[in-house]
Amino acid sequence: MKIGFLVIDMQTIHLQGIDKQVIDKASEYINYVSDMFRSKDQVVIHIQDIEGITESSREAFSIIPEIHVMETDLILTKEYTNGFWKTELEQMLKEQGVDFLIISGNAAEYCVLSTYNGAIERGFSTVILQNGILSTHNDVITSTYRDRNIISYPAIKYLLNK
C-alpha cells in the first residue's frame, strides 16, 4: 500500500487569525508525520492556494517556516478549495501509486474538507490527521474529528512499518 500525505494551505496569508501556539502544535504534528513518510519513501505533497496572488503579495503566499519542506516533497498550487479541482493532484497521486491519503492543514471547514471529499469521490481511502488541522473556529475542528475518519500518528507509524 502506498500512502500519500497532503499538507494543505499552510501559508502565512491563510493562517491569519489563528493563534501562534495552535499553529505551532499543528506544525509539530505535520512535521513529525512528514518525517515518518519521508523515511519510508512515501509521498508528501504540499498544496498551496494561490488564488488572488500578485507579485507584491507573493511572500504572504509562501509556506510558513514552521512547516518543513524537503527536496523530495512535491508541491502543487491550486485556486479552488478542493485540491483536486482543476489541478494535477489526482494524476500525481496515481503516478506515485498512492491509494490511501492522509490529509492535514488549513482550513478544516473549507480546503481540508473539500479536498477530503474530493479524494473520496475519486476512490481514494482518506483520513484526516488528528491534531494536524487548523481553523479560526474551534468548533469546526471538533465537528471534523466527530464526523470524518481521522488517524493518529501512532497508527500511521504502525501502517508505515507493516
Side-chain angles (χ1 to χ4, degrees), residues 4-71:
F5 183 49
L6 304 183
V7 182
I8 300 172
D9 297 350
M10 293 297 288
Q11 301 159 258
T12 305
I13 196 162
H14 300 305
L15 296 172
Q16 296 173 4
I18 300 177
D19 183 80
K20 173 83 167 106
Q21 289 180 318
V22 174
I23 294 170
D24 288 346
K25 180 182 176 190
S27 296
E28 185 177 344
Y29 277 86
I30 290 167
N31 288 331
Y32 185 78
V33 171
S34 294
D35 286 343
M36 285 194 302
F37 267 67
R38 292 180 193 112
S39 74
K40 298 294 183 180
D41 294 320
Q42 299 290 331
V43 180
V44 177
I45 301 175
H46 299 272
I47 300 175
Q48 293 176 271
D49 188 337
I50 59 167
E51 181 182 8
I53 194 171
T54 63
E55 196 56 45
S56 62
S57 67
R58 186 167 301 283
E59 178 101 10
F61 283 83
S62 297
I63 295 172
I64 60 172
E66 291 85 353
I67 296 295
H68 304 154
V69 180
M70 301 300 172
E71 283 182 14

Side-chain angles (χ1 to χ4, degrees), residues 3 5 29-30 32-34 36-37 100-104 126-133 145 148-161:
I3 306 172
F5 183 49
Y29 277 86
I30 290 167
Y32 185 78
V33 171
S34 294
M36 285 194 302
F37 267 67
F100 186 82
L101 281 177
I102 300 172
I103 297 179
S104 67
T126 308
V127 295
I128 292 175
L129 176 62
Q130 185 178 28
N131 297 316
I133 59 172
Y145 291 153
R148 304 292 182 272
N149 297 316
I150 63 170
I151 192 167
S152 64
Y153 75 83
I156 296 168
K157 186 180 279 188
Y158 175 79
L159 285 176
L160 291 174
N161 289 313

Side-chain angles (χ1 to χ4, degrees), residues 1 34 43 62 89 93 122 135 147 159 162:
M1 169 172 54
S34 294
V43 180
S62 297
L89 181 56
L93 293 168
R122 287 160 178 81
S135 175
D147 299 336
L159 285 176
K162 271 181 80 169

Side-chain angles (χ1 to χ4, degrees), residues 135-150:
S135 175
T136 54
H137 308 288
N138 289 336
D139 61 324
V140 170
I141 302 291
T142 303
S143 65
T144 301
Y145 291 153
R146 183 194 65 223
D147 299 336
R148 304 292 182 272
N149 297 316
I150 63 170

